[in-house]
């Protein structure tokens, strides 16, 4: 049986002086050459299913043939976890700054070109070691040498990012409002998506927009491109550049299901088996039809009016053009107008998620749908 270590990491302080802490679990693999993994959950307050998945992973990993190191962090954002309003958990945005908690990570692309010039002829191992050290020092400098200080969210994000930069593979576990399971996957890592038991994949460009997955794969992608521009060819996803990061959307927020979480954990183990992090061939991807599309074709449908919404479209199933996604009830029109209004689209789509409440204002995001999709 594999043993794990547990530490409690302080990520900030409350006004009373109380420490904000998160638990950090770690397994040590037996093969130094195997890929290492970082998994975190619950960066957004209501997105709690990832904690159940980490629980199931901790249970299963103790009995795996573990090759690479694995670090797991549930309750990644203690402020968001505890941000309640009545019976609802909020915690998607920093209540002080209004910034999305998952848009505060750091990447400064200006460090790439000087690094490549300095290590243009270095060995692959030296490039990997030195660049990882650079990324870690960038985060350390943000944490320790910021003249003007850090926001609470930055302080939390940078300490999580410090752990993530020490890994080759990063999985950031999230959920939607009312949602199907889906995967945000870098375009270059498309081949890896079929090793998760997730039917829908959104392929994201190799650009940084502040999220954890981007903060951990974009630096390596930018480095690979810079070397290629100077005539040294590397392939992203192989060798020294075998770096992959995903946002794994596990369904709907504000609920956990330990049985479903075990299936999600098995899905992750299937991917880790493919990557050689574990050597347990019983963990294989399920046979299923997997659809993918590009982020530019992942569209939001906004409500044309206020009202009470009946969400009609099923998740994960192609919806034909003209078929209604919702019907909106307007009781104020009853008796002297149309009380029911149907909303549809002029193209076939796959509905992925919808708004959590039936009560919407005009302009509320009703659904997010995948257009121009294809089979993986």
């Amino acid at each position: 049986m594999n043993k794990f270590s547990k530490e409690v990491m302080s990520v900030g302080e409350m006004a009373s002086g109380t420490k904000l802490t998160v638990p950090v679990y770690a397994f040590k693999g037996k093969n130094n050459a195997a890929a290492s993994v970082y998994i975190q959950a619950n960066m957004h307050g209501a997105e709690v299913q990832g904690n159940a998945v980490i629980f199931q992973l901790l249970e299963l990993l103790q009995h795996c043939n573990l090759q690479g190191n694995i670090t797991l962090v549930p309750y990644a954002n203690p402020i968001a976890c505890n941000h309640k309003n009545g019976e609802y958990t909020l915690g998607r945005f920093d209540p002080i700054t209004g910034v999305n908690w998952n848009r505060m990570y750091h990447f400064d692309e200006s460090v790439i070109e000087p690094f490549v010039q300095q290590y243009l002829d270095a060995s692959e191992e030296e490039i990997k070691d030195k660049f990882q050290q650079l990324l870690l020092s960038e985060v350390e400098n943000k944490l320790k040498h910021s003249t003007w200080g850090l926001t609470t969210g930055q302080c939390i994000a940078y300490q999580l990012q410090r752990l993530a930069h020490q890994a080759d593979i990063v999985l950031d576990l999230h959920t939607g409002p009312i949602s199907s399971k889906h995967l945000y996957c870098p375009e270059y890592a498309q081949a890896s998506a079929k090793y998760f038991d997730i039917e829908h994949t959104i392929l994201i460009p190799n650009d940084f927009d502040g999220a954890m997955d981007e903060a951990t794969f974009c630096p390596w992608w930018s480095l690979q491109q810079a070397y290629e521009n100077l005539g040294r060819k590397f392939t992203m996803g192989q060798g020294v550049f075998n770096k992959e990061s995903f946002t794994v959307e596990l369904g709907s927020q504000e609920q956990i299901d330990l049985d479903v979480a075990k299936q999600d954990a098995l899905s992750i183990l299937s991917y880790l088996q493919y990557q050689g992090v574990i050597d347990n061939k019983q963990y294989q991807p399920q046979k299923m039809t997997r659809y993918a599309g590009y982020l530019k074709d992942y569209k939001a449908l906004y409500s044309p009016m206020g009202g009470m919404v009946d969400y009609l479209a099923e998740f994960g199933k192609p919806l034909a053009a003209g078929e209604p996604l919702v019907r909106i009830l307007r009781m104020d029109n009853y008796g002297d107008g149309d009380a029911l209004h149907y909303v549809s689209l002029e193209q076939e789509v796959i509905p992925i998620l919808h708004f959590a409440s039936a009560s919407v204002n005009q302009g509320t995001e009703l659904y997010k749908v995948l257009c121009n999709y294809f089979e993986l």
Side-chain angles (χ1 to χ4, degrees), residues 206-357:
N206 308 314
D207 300 320
F208 179 65
D209 192 35
M212 170 60 93
D213 55 355
E214 300 160 348
T216 46
F217 81 76
C218 283
W220 293 93
W221 172 263
S222 298
L223 185 68
Q224 182 261 344
Q225 291 289 291
Y227 272 109
E228 186 170 310
N229 291 340
L230 293 176
R232 189 165 181 187
K233 179 72 173 177
F234 293 103
T235 301
M236 195 67 185
Q238 298 180 15
V240 65
F241 289 92
N242 186 21
K243 301 283 184 176
E244 293 188 350
S245 302
F246 304 90
T247 296
V248 185
E249 299 279 353
L250 298 165
S252 302
Q253 64 189 22
E254 290 279 39
Q255 59 187 23
I256 69 167
D257 185 319
L258 284 166
D259 294 329
V260 173
K262 186 169 184 179
Q263 296 306 310
D264 293 328
L266 294 174
S267 167
I268 289 171
L269 291 180
S270 167
Y271 169 71
L272 297 185
Q273 158 67 25
Y274 158 69
Q275 285 287 6
V277 180
I278 62 173
D279 185 13
N280 295 81
K281 293 183 172 54
Q282 71 267 33
Y283 297 123
Q284 298 294 329
Q286 295 180 17
K287 292 182 179 180
M288 62 176 63
T289 301
R290 293 174 172 84
Y291 293 105
Y294 291 96
L295 184 63
K296 64 182 177 63
D297 292 320
Y298 187 43
K299 304 289 189 180
L301 171 66
Y302 298 96
S303 182
M305 64 184 69
M308 305 294 121
V309 177
D310 184 7
Y311 297 97
L312 302 175
E314 292 185 61
F315 293 142
K317 296 182 179 179
L319 184 73
E323 288 294 312
L325 285 93
V326 303
R327 56 187 170 194
I328 302 176
L329 175 63
R330 286 290 298 264
M331 285 304 301
D332 58 310
N333 290 341
Y334 192 82
D336 55 9
D338 294 328
L340 289 178
H341 299 263
Y342 289 82
V343 179
S344 59
L345 294 168
E346 296 180 353
Q347 66 183 111
E348 184 176 288
V349 298
I350 296 180
I352 300 296
L353 60 83
H354 67 66
F355 192 61
S357 174

Side-chain angles (χ1 to χ4, degrees), residues 29-53:
K30 64 181 73 169
N31 183 355
N32 291 332
S36 56
V37 181
Y38 173 78
I39 302 173
Q40 71 175 31
N42 212 178
M43 192 62 184
H44 292 137
E47 300 181 7
V48 294
Q49 177 69 0
N51 299 316
V53 174

Side-chain angles (χ1 to χ4, degrees), residues 180-223:
S180 64
K181 296 178 187 179
H182 54 288
L183 184 72
Y184 285 96
C185 171
E187 291 179 358
Y188 71 83
Q190 178 177 329
S192 293
K194 64 185 178 183
Y195 290 93
F196 292 91
D197 295 332
I198 297 177
E199 293 179 324
H200 309 109
T201 294
I202 299 164
L203 299 168
I204 63 175
N206 308 314
D207 300 320
F208 179 65
D209 192 35
M212 170 60 93
D213 55 355
E214 300 160 348
T216 46
F217 81 76
C218 283
W220 293 93
W221 172 263
S222 298
L223 185 68

Side-chain angles (χ1 to χ4, degrees), residues 161-186:
Q161 190 174 353
R162 179 168 54 189
L163 295 175
H165 274 325
Q166 298 174 56
D168 301 305
I169 294 166
V170 174
L171 303 179
D172 193 10
L173 308 184
H174 286 257
T175 65
I178 306 297
S179 177
S180 64
K181 296 178 187 179
H182 54 288
L183 184 72
Y184 285 96
C185 171

Side-chain angles (χ1 to χ4, degrees), residues 9-263:
M9 180 173 70
S10 175
V11 294
E13 294 180 354
M14 302 295 284
S16 64
T18 302
K19 297 287 187 183
L20 293 168
T21 62
V22 299
V24 179
Y25 299 89
F27 288 92
K28 178 72 174 174
K30 64 181 73 169
N31 183 355
N32 291 332
S36 56
V37 181
Y38 173 78
I39 302 173
Q40 71 175 31
N42 212 178
M43 192 62 184
H44 292 137
E47 300 181 7
V48 294
Q49 177 69 0
N51 299 316
V53 174
I54 286 180
F55 165 77
Q56 297 289 18
L57 284 170
L58 287 167
E59 293 282 288
L60 292 165
L61 285 169
Q62 293 178 69
H63 306 284
C64 284
N65 185 4
L66 192 60
Q67 301 297 304
N69 298 334
I70 302 178
T71 301
L72 306 101
V73 180
Y75 306 128
N77 184 347
I79 293 180
C81 293
N82 293 292
H83 189 186
K84 304 291 289 188
N85 187 353
E87 62 188 282
Y88 298 103
T89 309
L90 302 180
R92 184 171 182 81
F93 303 97
D94 183 333
I96 305 301
T97 65
V99 178
N100 186 325
W101 290 111
N102 193 34
R103 295 296 184 273
M104 301 189 199
Y105 298 98
H106 173 72
F107 171 44
D108 179 6
E109 193 163 359
S110 70
V111 305
I112 300 295
E113 194 62 35
F115 180 90
V116 172
Q117 293 290 345
Q118 182 176 358
Y119 295 101
L120 182 59
D121 298 316
S123 68
E124 291 191 17
E125 280 307 308
E126 185 177 13
I127 290 170
K128 179 178 180 179
D129 291 343
K130 295 297 186 183
F131 192 63
Q132 187 175 60
Q133 289 175 27
L134 174 62
L135 295 177
L136 287 168
S137 67
E138 285 276 300
V139 174
E140 289 290 350
N141 287 335
K142 283 286 185 182
L143 283 167
K144 295 181 179 179
H145 304 293
S146 179
T147 302
W148 301 103
L150 300 172
T151 69
T152 302
Q154 289 171 330
C155 190
I156 294 171
Y158 295 160
Q159 291 182 84
L160 297 171
Q161 190 174 353
R162 179 168 54 189
L163 295 175
H165 274 325
Q166 298 174 56
D168 301 305
I169 294 166
V170 174
L171 303 179
D172 193 10
L173 308 184
H174 286 257
T175 65
I178 306 297
S179 177
S180 64
K181 296 178 187 179
H182 54 288
L183 184 72
Y184 285 96
C185 171
E187 291 179 358
Y188 71 83
Q190 178 177 329
S192 293
K194 64 185 178 183
Y195 290 93
F196 292 91
D197 295 332
I198 297 177
E199 293 179 324
H200 309 109
T201 294
I202 299 164
L203 299 168
I204 63 175
N206 308 314
D207 300 320
F208 179 65
D209 192 35
M212 170 60 93
D213 55 355
E214 300 160 348
T216 46
F217 81 76
C218 283
W220 293 93
W221 172 263
S222 298
L223 185 68
Q224 182 261 344
Q225 291 289 291
Y227 272 109
E228 186 170 310
N229 291 340
L230 293 176
R232 189 165 181 187
K233 179 72 173 177
F234 293 103
T235 301
M236 195 67 185
Q238 298 180 15
V240 65
F241 289 92
N242 186 21
K243 301 283 184 176
E244 293 188 350
S245 302
F246 304 90
T247 296
V248 185
E249 299 279 353
L250 298 165
S252 302
Q253 64 189 22
E254 290 279 39
Q255 59 187 23
I256 69 167
D257 185 319
L258 284 166
D259 294 329
V260 173
K262 186 169 184 179
Q263 296 306 310

